[in-house]
Amino acid sequence: MEALLWLIPALPLAGAVILIVTAGKLSRNLSALVGAGSVGLAALITLIIGFGFIADPAHTFHQTLWTWINVDGFKPTFAFHLDALSMVFIFVITFVGFLIHLYSIEFMHDDEGFSRFFAYLNLFVCSMLILVLADNLVLMYLGWEGVGLCSYLLIGFWYQEEKNGYAARKAFIITRVGDTAMAIGLFMLFQHFGTLNIQNILTQAPQTWTIGSETATAIALLLLGGAVGKSAQLPLQTWLPDAMAGPSPVSALIHAATMVTAGVYLIARTHVIFELAPVAQQWVGIIGAVTLLIAGFSALTQFDLKRVLAYSTISQIGYMFLALGVGAWSSAIFHFMIHAFFKALLFLGAGAVILVLHHEHDMFKMGGLKNRLPVIYWTFLIGSASLAALPFVTAGFYSKDQILWLAWAGEKGNLWFFLAALIGAFVTSIYTFRMVFLTFFGEEKTHVGHHAGKLITIPLIVLAVLSLVGGFIELPHTLGHVELFSGFVKPVLPAVEMRPGAESGEWIIQLTAATLCLAGIYVAYYFYMKRPDLRRELKSSMIVTNRFWFSGWGFDALYDTLFVKPFVYLSTRNKDDAVDRIYEGIVSGLNRVHNVFAQTQNGVMRWYIMGIVIGAIFVLSIGLILT
Amino acid sequence: MNTISVEAGLILAGILFMLGLISVMIRRNIIFMLISVEIMLNAAGLAFIVAGARWAQPDGQVMFIFILTMAAAEVSVGLALILQLYHQLKTLDGDAANKMKG
Amino acid sequence: MEATFYIASAVAVLATIMVITRYNMVHALLYLIVSFLAIAVVIFVLGAPFIAALEIIIYAGAIVVLIIFVIMMLNLREETVTQEKTWLTKEVYVGPALLSVVLLAEIVYIITSGETTSVNQPVIDATAVGVSLYGPYVIGVELCGILLMSGIVGAYHLGRQKKKIVHRFLEKIEE
């Protein structure tokens, strides 16, 4: 069955090609069938392959389709490599992708660009699958840029509004900064190994470099640059909140569940290099820790429902980076999977709420939706609980708890990582339930329009179920000790080494985390339900901090002053392009000469013949003189 | 017994060519210009014949036939152009057809 | 044989000079026929009887007749002769003639500067030419066929005289 692997990216690609070629001529039903159907089939094939794979997770499957380029030793192939890590990713991409496609059929139903939307979405799914299945880094880069392109197209999907185009360009340019770093990293890898085949590099790297080698560190840092750009981590995180300009399913699929975790995938995939470069790996952890705090505090002050979720996404990916930084590879991937479920759920729920409230994004204008939209309320609540890591019942608790524990007890963990993660967890539960209370509780402020149909509610319910039970495949030592997930990815990602002397005490950390989560919920309840006046007081007393957090810690303004303004200044100064003057001079000189010679072209034929004769005399004379 | 020098033949061709060239340059009547071009082509052909005779090869004569063919085609198209030009401009003055200029 | 060559050459040159100095077009054409006939003699003397025949048939025959046809079609009368007189003035022909003489002098110098060789080969008859034409030059023959074809099509296209057709190069004249 694994021979069908190539169909998984090929089907969405075929769907995209059909939708692009027909250019909106297909009826809506047919477009939806092509768009969602192709991804659905891909998901089905993934499931079939997956069942075969679970039996023996240690084996890998390699499928070479054709040689892509062949230039003097540089010979990347169009080949797919399936192992446990890519299995997890293609499962999440196709499965969550399919649910979001289903949801989009109803969500986008009245949109003019219905067919265009599915074309982009299919192309995205295809690119993302190529990214995670690629057996060499060049092919991976193709997928990497492909998802970047689709992200750009989908953020700017409603291109008639200028700010959407701006957001799309911002996302594209900022991720490009990271991509450039990554490309340089790839060049260096090729220089050292003469190949970009991932498996070859991973086997050769430990033989070539010693631990802490400068080259390895440089390459790891460059790859980290790429990962940081794509995954919206510090310092390239500013594009993600603006990326919410796209339709909600896009935010769910691309800017929460899949594309933004490409950085996590990259680091996990090349973990061997990072293990050889402890400094770079530590930086991964530091970036993750700082990002999760910054984004968490920013999420506290937002009033746009989708922006809260955007900052929360940045923060959760920060957790994944933190896990990668302490070497807890499988925990990062586990959190990725659980996060994909509950964050897609939250975005889809938020999209549904926004849809029924006639495109109202402001949480303070919502409220009281609990009884109006029971299905959305319950699923959203489950997603929020999972995000806030409500103890014992939600999947988010198990995945996040593992990261907390390893940030403390892992060999590369330390107190600071642990504290950051702990504070982040507290903040997470505050902003999550602030969101829930503002949206669904209190009095009704905006009239509810039409109700959500089955195509919206079914994906929500499926994702809600996954957000609850998804965690039970990996339970900590203290609670049942199930290691299905880490056992599954173990052939690819080694288990984390424990710090000596930190084996015990896991239950204390779990208890602390659980307490903090509940405390966070209570704080949210206290300020937003019980004593709203106190909140206003607090807000006015901390107005500066509030503004600072609201603007995402002023990074946009900082970059504006540091890069954009000097650049704009220089380009205005050089509007007439100093270098261009030289060429303009040449052009005008030639123009003048041309005008002189144009005079000789007077249309009188005899004149031309005379010219030929004079030329002949000239040439013959030269010939005679020279001989 | 054939003792004609090659130079004499070539110089004859050169003189004829030059006469044709002078005529092309001094005439304004386009029919005269066409006639002069014929003279020049003929002179060029003559030069080939002389060369062919010098090496005793038929190639010179082959080239003459090619030139002849070319001259026939050229004169037919040229005369058609002259007719067209005369209908447009109502004159045979070659200088009148000077609209194509820089 | 040598004498024949020089006499024929002299006739050809003189006849050509007469061609280029005539004001009357038909007179010029008559001299042109003489010139072609003289050249035919030269060619014959040089040992190419087939080409001499072609020279007479096609140059002196077909091409000149074609030009005469056109003169008849255009119905050119005495006024063209007077017009020609006004066009062919001294200042018009001195410059080009001088230039051409310079060019001729150079060519003559180049031709005569080498060693003198004489044409002392036997006659090359039509058979040899034919064998050569359809042997190594067969592609040239085919190209000639294409050229003649395009000549016919081009002449037909350009020679048509529909009233409304104004050639695109000459459109502006009608304004």
Side-chain angles (χ1 to χ4, degrees), chain A residues 15 48 77 91 116 153 217 229 231 250 276 352 370 390 414 504 541 586 601 611 620-621:
Chain A
I48 294 170
T77 49
F91 168 68
R116 185 164 59 97
L153 291 171
T217 311
S231 294
V250 172
L276 290 171
K370 187 162 66 111
L390 195 73
N414 58 40
S504 61
S541 67
I586 294 174
Q601 195 192 351
L620 282 178
S621 308

Side-chain angles (χ1 to χ4, degrees), chain A residues 503-525:
Chain A
E503 286 88 356
S504 61
E506 190 173 358
W507 65 274
I508 302 176
I509 284 170
Q510 277 163 354
L511 208 61
T512 323
T515 318
L516 276 175
C517 166
L518 293 172
I521 295 173
Y522 180 73
V523 168
Y525 173 75

Side-chain angles (χ1 to χ4, degrees), chain A residues 606 610 614 617 620-621 624, chain C residues 92 96 99 102-103 106 109-110:
Chain A
R606 296 180 303 145
M610 210 98 90
I614 293 169
I617 293 175
L620 282 178
S621 308
L624 285 177
Chain C
V92 171
L99 274 179
V102 172
L103 195 52
E106 284 186 337
Y109 174 74
I110 291 168

